[in-house]
Amino acid sequence: MILPNKIHYYTMPGLINIEQPDREAIIQFVCKEMNVRYKDALSKDRSRILVLTRNMCYAILKTYLGATVASIGRLFFRDHTTVIHGLRMHQQDLKTNDIYAEQFDEIRFLLKLNLPTKKHIKYAKSIRTMG
């Protein structure tokens, strides 16, 4: 049964990618780009670089793959509330830490996750209203 308000693979083939990317492969890729070992990213260590790497992974998995915070927590052997806190810290770091924001944009680009961010949408709206 095809719902009229939903985009379905069979009505528009090629528009939706049925295969979900491997979540662990994405985590390993982010770790490689951040120069962190995968094993260390899953550890309980709270050094700054590991926390930033984990938060970046949380955000990619939640935003671009639609993973739940509980499933992300299971991947990292953490509670869902830890993931929620990491996502909040990710948003704060994007606003305040330019280097972190550039790294995140570069990793998104390399993963081909080029969905528009709020900043891009705001910029596009401002351009449309100028003329």
Side-chain angles (χ1 to χ4, degrees):
M1 175 183 194
I2 298 174
L3 300 174
N5 294 339
K6 299 280 185 179
I7 296 175
H8 197 273
Y9 176 76
Y10 296 108
T11 58
M12 300 189 87
L15 184 63
I16 299 174
N17 186 5
I18 289 181
E19 293 181 21
Q20 277 282 3
D22 184 21
R23 293 174 181 185
E24 290 178 2
I26 288 176
I27 295 169
Q28 289 175 353
F29 180 80
V30 173
C31 290
K32 180 181 157 217
E33 291 297 315
M34 296 289 285
N35 294 323
V36 171
R37 291 187 314 169
Y38 177 74
K39 179 180 162 186
D40 292 339
L42 299 181
S43 72
K44 299 288 183 187
D45 189 354
R46 293 188 296 185
S47 64
R48 184 70 176 151
I49 188 68
L50 293 178
V51 170
L52 291 175
T53 302
R54 281 192 286 263
N55 291 349
M56 197 175 290
C57 289
Y58 297 162
I60 288 171
L61 293 172
K62 175 82 172 122
T63 307
Y64 299 105
L65 298 183
T68 63
V69 289
S71 66
I72 296 169
R74 282 191 297 271
L75 282 171
F76 284 89
F77 308 106
R78 284 169 174 66
D79 190 54
H80 72 283
T81 56
T82 305
V83 176
I84 292 170
H85 176 72
L87 290 168
R88 286 184 186 143
M89 291 298 101
H90 169 76
Q91 290 301 319
Q92 182 177 342
D93 286 335
L94 283 179
K95 292 176 187 172
T96 59
N97 188 343
D98 292 335
I99 295 169
Y100 178 78
E102 287 176 16
Q103 285 176 326
F104 182 68
D105 285 340
E106 182 179 339
I107 288 173
R108 267 191 17 217
F109 176 76
L110 292 173
L111 284 170
K112 296 178 176 52
L113 300 172
N114 295 324
L115 299 179
T117 61
K118 289 180 183 177
K119 182 172 117 177
H120 293 111
I121 292 169
K122 185 177 179 183
Y123 178 71
K125 285 180 182 176
S126 68
I127 288 175
R128 277 187 255 150
T129 58
M130 289 173 90

